[in-house]
Structure formats: C-alpha cells, structure tokens
Amino acid sequence: MRASLCALLLSLLAFSPAWAEMLQGRVVGVADGDTITVLDADKTQHKIRLAGIDAPEKKQPYGQRSKQHLSDLVYGQTVAVEWQKRDRYGRIIGKVWRGETDVCLSQLHAGMAWHYKQYNKDLPLPDRLSYAVAEQKARSGAAGLWQESSPVAPWDFRRKKTD
C-alpha cells in the first residue's frame, strides 16, 4: 500500500508543471486583487496575473479591499515572479514572492481571493494543495470576503455581466 501511494505521488509530481522563468523587479502598480505591474532592472514594465487565485472584481464586494490588501503586501517592494506562460491578454501568469512570502497564498489566507481551481493544472501540486487549504481555512474562519453571506465568485460575476 505504501509503495503504491509513493508511486502515485511521484507520478503526480512528474506531471505537475514546473515554473520555467524568473522575473525580478519592483512593483509599480496594483490594478486589482490579482494583477500587478512589475518594473524590471531594464526599466521594462510587466503585467503580472497572480497564478492560482481569482480576486473579486473592483465593483464586487471586497474588490477594493482585495486590491488594498495586495497593495499593502507588494506596492513599492521588490518581488520575484516564477512563471511559465502568458494569458490571452499577454499578462504573465506567475507565482509572486516578496522575500519568503508567497503573495498569492497571502491573498487566500486573508480571504481576499478564491483559489482559481479552473486553472489547477497550471500549478505545481504543492501549490494546488496549499491554495485549497488556505481558501478553506479563510472560509471556515470567515476571513475577508467570506464574511459575506453568499459571496459571488469573480468568474460568475463576469459571466453575469456579459449575459
């Protein structure tokens, strides 16, 4: 049993994506609770979409609070971004680090974002697990947006806006 469990875990890790690129720079903009602008050493700006999370839209409850929380974490700070792809808008999708702090995970712990399970396949297995646990703890502790009686996920909010 133990051997088969180890084999399963190793196979899952083998198929988990690994971060391919690293970008470092100073955060010069925070658009919302899951999008920042990083200025690199060459003075090039990069739009970064935080991987694995989806924050409330600006016009949703907690949208501005989520943006402010992210701004408090990273604005003016030097960050490292681990990434492997861009989204359809050309933004880098990445895991953002401020020192030893996983900023994406911090947004989840504070109840300022949902774990964006739709894109789980793009995350390494340890991140999938820690992000899911962080959201669940925030929910059960009524942190941030989880204080609302029925918070609407941003992907549902966006879908209703376009309908």
Side-chain angles (χ1 to χ4, degrees):
M1 175 71 174
R2 180 176 266 173
S4 60
L5 181 59
C6 286
L8 174 65
L9 286 174
L10 286 174
S11 68
L12 286 173
L13 289 173
F15 291 108
S16 291
W19 300 108
E21 305 267 346
M22 183 66 84
L23 167 71
Q24 287 194 305
R26 186 170 48 87
V27 177
V28 295
V30 177
D32 55 30
D34 57 30
T35 308
I36 61 175
T37 302
V38 173
L39 183 67
D40 70 16
D42 296 327
K43 305 292 185 218
T44 302
Q45 290 189 8
H46 304 271
K47 285 271 191 206
I48 312 295
R49 174 70 166 74
L50 277 64
I53 71 169
D54 200 5
E57 296 294 321
K58 291 178 190 173
K59 295 188 180 196
Q60 280 187 266
Y62 284 86
Q64 291 301 320
R65 290 185 204 176
S66 178
K67 176 183 176 180
Q68 186 61 53
H69 186 265
L70 181 58
S71 185
D72 292 344
L73 284 169
V74 299
Y75 187 76
Q77 302 294 313
T78 298
V79 298
V81 182
E82 295 176 87
W83 68 282
Q84 64 178 351
K85 70 182 213 177
R86 294 179 182 268
D87 67 10
R88 64 182 176 199
Y89 305 109
R91 299 176 297 186
I92 290 171
I93 301 172
K95 183 175 180 179
V96 177
W97 293 93
R98 190 198 77 218
E100 298 295 314
T101 301
D102 176 344
V103 174
C104 307
L105 190 60
S106 294
Q107 283 290 85
L108 290 166
H109 277 298
M112 294 297 155
W114 275 257
H115 172 206
Y116 208 177
K117 295 175 188 86
Q118 178 180 346
Y119 294 99
N120 250 354
K121 67 183 180 345
D122 296 337
L123 294 176
L125 182 60
D127 290 343
R128 287 182 225 166
L129 298 174
S130 63
Y131 289 11
V133 167
E135 180 186 303
Q136 191 52 50
K137 283 184 179 177
R139 281 177 183 253
S140 62
L145 64 91
W146 303 112
Q147 295 174 39
E148 294 285 312
S149 59
S150 354
V152 175
W155 51 88
D156 291 333
F157 181 82
R158 290 188 294 267
R159 190 176 328 114
K160 287 179 184 171
K161 263 184 97 170
T162 59
D163 288 347

